Amino acid sequence: MTWITLLTTSTRWQAELMEQLLAAHDIPTRIVDLGVKSYLGTGTPAALQVPSQDKWTALLLLSPLEDEQET
């Protein structure tokens, strides 16, 4: 299975939050640590990955909502 990186974050908890959202929609995910675990609460950089066939669905779920145009 080929994995695609959707986003990188400065803290692991952000990636875990996105992982929970995608898991609620039955999209498999994995989190890859990008650095050394830090101390003093600064967080660890991480990447959120999904299988390549789920890339577009995951991107749509994680994208911000568009504002409605006023006419």
Side-chain angles (χ1 to χ4, degrees), residues 8 10 12 15-16 20 34-35 41 43 46 48 54-55 66 70-71:
T8 57
S10 59
R12 184 177 173 90
E16 290 173 352
Q20 290 176 7
L34 298 176
L48 179 66
D54 294 321
K55 175 184 176 182
E66 292 182 18
E70 291 186 29
T71 56

Side-chain angles (χ1 to χ4, degrees), residues 2-68:
T2 303
W3 293 84
I4 303 291
T5 300
L6 283 184
L7 60 98
T8 57
T9 65
S10 59
T11 58
R12 184 177 173 90
W13 70 264
Q14 292 172 324
E16 290 173 352
L17 181 64
M18 300 296 177
E19 179 183 42
Q20 290 176 7
L21 175 71
L22 295 174
H25 292 278
D26 297 323
I27 296 175
T29 60
R30 70 179 182 184
I31 297 176
V32 178
D33 288 324
L34 298 176
V36 178
K37 289 194 177 194
S38 64
Y39 299 97
L40 305 171
T42 58
T44 302
L48 179 66
Q49 297 183 338
V50 297
S52 58
Q53 67 267 19
D54 294 321
K55 175 184 176 182
W56 294 110
T57 304
L59 285 172
L60 286 172
L61 289 169
L62 297 178
S63 65
L65 296 174
E66 292 182 18
D67 292 335
E68 290 186 28

